Amino acid sequence: MATDLKPKILVVDDDQGTRDLYRAMLAPFGYEVLEAGDGKEGLEQAQSRKPDLVISDILMPTMNGYEFVLALRKHPSLEHVPVIFHSASFLDREARSLGAACGVLRFILKPCEPHKALAVVHEVLGLKIENPIVAAPRPPGDDPIPALIDAVAERSKQLDAVSVRLATLLELGFDLARPSTIESLLETACQSARKTIGASYCGVGILADDGRHLRSFDLYGAGAETAARLANGAFAGPVFTSIVREKKACLASSQDGEPAGLDLPGGHPPVHSFLGAPLKVGDRVYGWMYVANKLGSPEFNRQDAEILTVVTAHLALAYENGQRFLIIEERTRNLEAEIEERERAESRFRMLVETAPMGIVIIDESGRIADVNEQTLRTFGYEREELVGRGVDILLPDRLRKLHEAHRAGYAKQPRVRPMGQGMELAARRKDGTEFPAEISLGPLAMRDGTWVSATISDITERKKMEEQMRLSQRLEAIGRLAGGVAHDFNNLLGVILGCCDAAAGLLPPDHPAIEKIELMRNAGSSAAELTRQLLEFSQQQMLQPRVLDLRPIVKRVQSLLGQLLGANIDLSVSIEPSLGNIAANAEQIERVILNLAVNARDAMARGGRLMIQARNVEWDRSFEQEQQPVIAGAYVMISVEDTGCGMDPETQARIFEPFFTTKEFGKGTGLGLATVYGIVKQSGGSIRLRSQVGRGTVFELYFPRVSEAPSPAAEDPVLGTDALEGPETILLAEDSASLREIASEYLRGLGYHIIDADSGIQALGRAKVIRVPIHLLLTDVVMPGMTGPELASQIAAFHPGIKVIFASGYADDAMTRQGVLGPGAAFIQKPYRLEALARKIRTVLGETKFAGAAPGASRIRPIGRDSA
């Protein structure tokens, strides 16, 4: 064969390094080198590329060299392609035996010098060697030296084989000693056992914890599909049981394909020769390993058993170390996870402690501060290093330190949990020396050096202020209830008194001497009625009919009135925000509130000063809410009245809204001015903020919820003449006060009305159901026992559609206050009312008089009263 034809040489070897070596060795001589990683791939390459020579390894996965050559010879186009086997020198005899069985007569033994390997390649390809090695002339046949040289060479070859095997086992020991996974350890040991012993395949089984069943099984050298099918197979034959029980190697062979006692699972490759050994360390057996089908020999020998025993001993120790490493690794992971969780828990605990709204102080057994949280530092005004290591009594006033030392000693003898609020109220001391009321809870902490104490400290200054405000609110509410109850009955009595005065005056001539006395009584009754109105305003039980107000004209009207009320020594300034919002309230009451506060401010500035009134929009956020009082955050309109007067001390401020409490001289004030301001603002849904210092003036800030609706005009009753007060209509009068009901009925009958009276809402509803004539008007008290006025009006409309209603009341009880005021457009007259005012309200509601519908027998009586002489 000529060298310029570039013969193709196919190298089949599962070791990439060997393939690279042949490529480097053959390519410079012009050979085209093809590669394959196993017998199956080599067969595919040979069929497609038609090589001139094949160099094949013997021990390969999927298909070994022997199987590869037999498959190659079955193809007509490849049956004459020359094949060279290359294998380890310690497998020389087995390789030559296999080669002879499949027609391969040329061998390259590992390790081999490159020029010798090239010589074999050139020889097989029939190429001329440029520098042939000339053999020395053979000595005469009777010379013993050649025979001796042959014997030495044979012995050297055997020593080389032993040396290579020892090197392979040593390398395996190093490989198993390296950190690796269990799967990698098993594969390394099995592949090494195959090549060292010279077997077609190798299997390894790992036992479960019970020592009888397999946890896993892997087979190497028989192909991935076969290994996968056998992964869950049962290897329960007597041979495998004996290996585990006897803990020693076992040999077996059979010409039929499976030695007796193996009981291999279905799908396992045929086994002609078998060698198995246990994976054991001491008395512990972790599993077994076996090699099958000895290359070039029908059975394995004792030397093979020794080698496999060494391999399994290495593998068992490495496996045990690997298992221990896995356990250590798992425990390490668990420990790391536990440490991480503890660190997270400690971080969470530290975060909770540091962000706690109460101070937390950790105290050691000697009474010194071991740690504090951020709130403690904010509360007491210290830096952390100023507290840690100091005695805990640094946080107490001097007068309490000895007492605290005794308490701490008693607690140390009998430590227990003392929840917040169950201990006595204590006083604490800040760094600047100021004291504040505190509430403290205690809890023992078991430490190595004794029992420590965790103290939770809460500054209850704000809570005590709120409690005081709550007590004040409850006191004012109780007074308001009393005032409201008195005012209700008092209003009815005043109504009778004023009505009788009007009636008496109407029966006497204008020049009668008694007229003056009657007028005095009527004026006194009117003053009493005004006093009652103030009480009702304070108690928030006055019946209101609020409307949407624009405060700007109200404030300006008050400004013009104050010009006449304030002295020349008081400077008045008024500021109104141009975009001032609207509120829902009673215009007259708001005007009265501002005037009242301004007059009080005037009285507080006896020597003159400055009075400032301003109205502006404000937004109440949560920070302001916490600073002042619990109200709903939102949009408000604020009216403030500020003076530069004498101011008030805390004791006066605590009682300033109580009715009949006054700081003025006797006879110069009723003590109801600020009480009515308080009641009007609260009943209108607003809040009051008071700020004052002795000698530095006072500021009242009124906050009313801002509304988005447009201002509604005030309804005004038309001015009617005396003659226009008469009427023929039928009126149902529901009033629980007998005296007031009697005088009102008598007066209205005198005006021509037909009156049906009732002492309660229930009685009025019963009469309305049975009466046959139309009822034109219902005049009802709002608050009555059994049924309220609004409830009566709602039910009576079913029997008398279109009936008109006038509500009369001197106050609104709790139910009416909670439900709100009367609906918009409802006709209302405030008690105590004058009889003529009642007649005008009735005529306004009923409209123009129609005498054609007068009730039978209605009398024509002129109205009584001084104005109708």
Side-chain angles (χ1 to χ4, degrees):
M1 180 179 294
T3 59
D4 57 354
L5 294 181
K6 293 186 179 180
K8 289 182 286 187
I9 299 177
L10 173 62
V11 179
V12 184
D13 197 301
D14 60 336
D15 181 55
Q16 180 65 48
T18 301
R19 299 200 301 272
D20 293 340
L21 178 63
Y22 273 106
R23 178 178 293 278
M25 184 174 60
L26 297 174
F29 288 89
Y31 296 115
E32 181 182 355
V33 180
L34 309 176
E35 296 183 31
D38 56 36
K40 183 178 179 181
E41 184 182 355
L43 190 59
E44 294 174 353
Q45 287 272 36
Q47 291 174 355
S48 62
R49 304 296 299 276
K50 301 296 190 295
D52 297 298
L53 173 65
V54 176
I55 301 175
S56 175
D57 191 9
I58 296 178
L59 294 178
M60 295 184 295
T62 307
M63 181 185 290
N64 59 38
Y66 173 73
E67 296 169 335
F68 165 64
V69 173
L70 290 180
L72 190 71
R73 296 301 185 216
K74 293 180 181 179
H75 291 271
S77 60
L78 301 174
E79 60 181 342
H80 299 298
V81 174
V83 178
I84 299 175
F85 272 157
H86 69 113
S87 184
S89 60
F90 61 85
L91 293 176
D92 183 24
R93 185 174 300 172
E94 292 86 345
R96 294 184 184 280
S97 176
L98 277 175
C102 60
V104 178
L105 302 178
R106 295 290 188 271
F107 299 90
I108 299 175
L109 299 179
K110 303 178 187 177
C112 179
E113 297 180 7
H115 72 273
K116 292 182 180 180
L118 282 172
V120 175
V121 171
H122 289 156
E123 181 184 356
V124 173
L125 291 176
L127 299 178
K128 182 181 179 181
I129 302 176
E130 296 180 358
N131 297 313
I133 300 175
V134 180
R138 189 176 183 84
D142 56 352
D143 190 350
I145 294 178
L148 181 60
I149 292 174
D150 289 342
V152 171
E154 179 66 23
R155 185 60 178 170
S156 176
K157 188 180 296 183
Q158 293 176 0
L159 291 175
D160 287 343
V162 172
S163 177
V164 171
R165 281 181 169 172
L166 289 176
T168 303
L169 292 175
L170 182 60
E171 183 179 359
L172 172 63
F174 285 133
D175 289 340
L176 296 180
R178 297 188 184 98
S180 183
T181 62
I182 298 297
E183 294 76 9
S184 179
L185 289 175
L186 297 178
E187 181 177 4
T188 299
C190 287
Q191 296 291 17
S192 179
R194 281 183 63 216
K195 293 193 175 184
T196 305
I197 296 174
S200 294
Y201 42 84
C202 176
V204 59
I206 302 299
L207 294 174
D209 293 337
D210 59 9
R212 297 189 302 272
H213 301 86
L214 285 180
R215 175 183 295 167
S216 65
F217 174 76
D218 293 286
L219 184 65
Y220 299 92
E225 295 181 359
T226 301
R229 285 198 306 270
L230 296 174
N232 298 317
F235 292 82
V239 171
F240 295 100
T241 305
S242 174
I243 292 174
V244 176
R245 183 179 64 252
E246 301 296 333
K247 303 177 184 176
K248 60 183 181 179
C250 180
L251 290 164
S253 62
S254 171
Q255 296 182 354
D256 298 334
E258 182 176 331
L262 290 183
D263 294 340
L264 297 172
H268 194 287
V271 174
H272 299 282
S273 55
F274 174 88
L275 170 60
L279 303 178
K280 71 183 184 73
V281 178
D283 292 334
R284 175 71 183 273
V285 177
Y286 292 101
W288 38 254
M289 176 188 287
Y290 71 85
V291 290
N293 293 350
K294 170 76 172 177
L295 297 176
S297 177
E299 59 185 18
F300 296 96
N301 55 37
R302 184 180 298 276
Q303 187 181 26
D304 297 330
E306 293 174 353
I307 292 173
L308 185 62
T309 301
V310 173
V311 171
T312 54
H314 279 299
L315 177 59
L317 184 59
Y319 178 82
E320 183 177 72
N321 291 336
Q323 290 295 98
R324 288 175 177 174
F325 178 77
L326 290 177
I327 294 173
I328 294 173
E329 195 175 45
E330 178 66 21
R331 289 180 179 176
T332 302
R333 284 197 299 269
N334 293 338
L335 183 59
E336 289 175 348
E338 183 179 349
I339 293 174
E340 185 178 353
E341 179 59 32
R342 287 185 178 182
E343 289 177 348
R344 284 198 298 267
E346 182 178 351
S347 177
R348 288 194 298 268
F349 174 76
R350 171 59 62 180
M351 181 186 67
L352 290 174
V353 169
E354 288 298 328
T355 59
M358 295 175 290
I360 298 177
V361 180
I362 307 299
I363 308 159
D364 65 17
E365 200 171 34
S366 64
R368 297 190 176 275
I369 298 174
D371 199 2
V372 295
N373 70 339
E374 188 65 29
Q375 182 60 37
T376 301
L377 303 178
R378 287 195 295 267
T379 301
F380 287 90
Y382 287 97
E383 297 295 330
R384 192 179 300 271
E385 56 271 14
E386 293 179 301
L387 288 180
V388 175
R390 297 287 300 276
V392 70
D393 56 3
I394 190 177
L395 304 178
L396 297 174
D398 294 339
R399 68 181 189 280
L400 297 178
R401 292 183 178 180
K402 290 185 178 180
L403 180 62
H404 172 263
E405 185 176 351
H407 281 308
R408 190 172 62 80
Y411 186 86
K413 293 179 181 179
Q414 191 178 5
R416 63 199 181 280
V417 175
R418 192 181 75 188
M420 182 73 74
Q422 292 189 4
M424 62 180 177
E425 185 179 304
L426 300 174
R429 179 182 180 274
R430 297 186 179 91
K431 180 180 179 180
D432 59 8
T434 59
E435 296 184 12
F436 62 91
E439 196 171 65
I440 301 176
S441 65
L442 301 177
L445 298 174
M447 307 295 284
R448 293 181 178 179
D449 54 350
T451 300
W452 291 14
V453 177
S454 170
T456 303
I457 304 173
S458 178
D459 182 352
I460 60 173
T461 303
E462 293 301 321
R463 192 182 77 186
K464 290 180 70 66
K465 288 182 180 178
M466 292 182 63
E467 289 174 351
E468 183 61 31
Q469 291 175 357
M470 180 64 70
R471 284 192 292 269
L472 174 61
S473 176
Q474 291 173 344
R475 186 165 67 249
L476 293 178
E477 182 179 355
I479 296 172
R481 288 177 181 273
L482 175 62
V486 171
H488 173 253
D489 294 335
F490 197 44
N491 266 330
N492 288 335
L493 296 175
L494 287 174
V496 175
I497 292 172
L498 292 174
C500 289
C501 288
D502 288 342
L507 295 175
L508 298 175
D511 57 349
H512 195 280
I515 290 295
E516 185 177 353
K517 303 297 184 183
I518 293 174
E519 189 65 27
L520 289 175
M521 286 190 295
R522 188 154 50 188
N523 291 338
S526 297
S527 298
E530 174 63 19
L531 184 62
T532 305
R533 180 187 60 77
Q534 290 180 317
L535 285 173
L536 289 172
E537 286 177 337
F538 160 73
S539 64
Q540 307 173 45
Q541 292 179 331
Q542 189 177 36
M543 189 64 64
L544 297 180
Q545 286 185 293
R547 59 187 178 89
V548 178
L549 302 178
D550 180 359
L551 288 176
R552 288 174 293 186
I554 296 177
V555 176
K556 291 178 181 179
R557 187 163 58 250
V558 170
Q559 182 180 7
S560 64
L561 293 174
L562 288 177
Q564 305 170 10
L565 296 175
L566 300 178
N569 60 345
I570 294 178
D571 180 21
L572 172 65
S573 65
V574 178
S575 173
I576 305 175
E577 185 175 333
S579 59
L580 190 66
N582 301 325
I583 67 171
N586 182 279
E588 292 76 12
Q589 288 186 328
I590 297 300
E591 184 175 318
R592 193 156 55 248
V593 163
I594 302 175
L595 282 172
N596 211 328
L597 292 175
V599 170
N600 273 353
R602 179 202 63 187
D603 296 342
M605 296 184 289
R607 298 182 180 179
R610 186 179 178 190
L611 176 62
M612 295 151 284
I613 300 176
Q614 65 169 317
R616 59 186 177 88
N617 298 324
V618 295
E619 296 291 334
W620 229 347
D621 58 15
R622 296 196 64 83
S623 62
F624 187 82
E625 172 186 332
Q626 293 174 357
E627 177 190 352
Q628 299 301 323
Q629 50 185 308
V631 295
I632 300 174
Y636 289 82
V637 173
M638 183 196 74
I639 303 173
S640 70
V641 179
E642 181 177 359
D643 65 66
T644 58
C646 60
M648 292 179 281
D649 57 30
E651 291 74 15
T652 302
Q653 294 180 47
R655 302 188 58 193
I656 196 65
F657 295 120
E658 290 184 10
F660 308 114
F661 173 79
T662 180
T663 58
K664 299 177 183 179
E665 297 179 7
F666 181 76
K668 292 188 177 182
T670 62
L672 287 175
L674 290 178
T676 58
V677 168
Y678 175 87
I680 290 173
V681 173
K682 289 294 184 180
Q683 194 173 10
S684 300
S687 298
I688 302 180
R689 182 188 185 194
L690 167 63
R691 291 182 289 117
S692 182
Q693 291 184 14
V694 176
R696 303 189 64 177
T698 301
V699 180
F700 285 92
E701 293 177 351
L702 316 179
Y703 294 89
F704 296 94
R706 200 186 318 164
V707 298
S708 58
E709 293 85 354
S712 54
E716 296 183 1
D717 293 340
V719 179
L720 301 176
T722 305
D723 294 338
L725 299 181
E726 301 177 354
E729 291 89 351
T730 299
I731 298 175
L732 175 58
L733 173 61
E735 172 60 60
D736 59 337
S737 172
S739 301
L740 186 58
R741 185 173 66 251
E742 178 182 351
I743 194 168
S745 298
E746 180 182 350
Y747 176 74
L748 293 176
R749 287 191 181 99
L751 293 176
Y753 294 103
H754 177 60
I755 305 300
I756 304 170
D757 59 2
D759 60 4
S760 66
I762 297 175
Q763 187 182 67
L765 182 62
R767 292 186 175 182
K769 290 180 180 179
V770 299
I771 195 169
R772 299 300 179 184
V773 298
I775 299 178
H776 302 92
L777 177 69
L778 170 64
L779 174 58
T780 177
D781 193 2
V782 173
V783 180
M784 294 182 294
M787 179 181 292
T788 66
E791 292 173 343
L792 171 62
S794 174
Q795 296 189 35
I796 206 170
F799 306 101
H800 296 274
I803 188 173
K804 303 293 182 65
V805 181
I806 296 177
F807 295 103
S809 181
Y811 88 121
D813 66 358
D814 287 344
M816 296 301 298
T817 302
R818 288 192 300 269
Q819 295 169 3
V821 295
L822 299 176
F828 174 75
I829 186 168
Q830 179 73 43
K831 287 184 178 181
Y833 48 73
R834 300 287 295 274
L835 294 176
E836 184 174 327
L838 175 61
R840 292 182 184 278
K841 175 63 73 173
I842 291 173
R843 199 65 264 158
T844 300
V845 172
L846 289 176
E848 186 180 352
T849 306
K850 297 180 180 179
F851 288 97
S859 60
R860 310 299 298 159
I861 303 177
R862 298 282 295 172
I864 58 178
R866 187 177 182 184
D867 298 332
S868 55

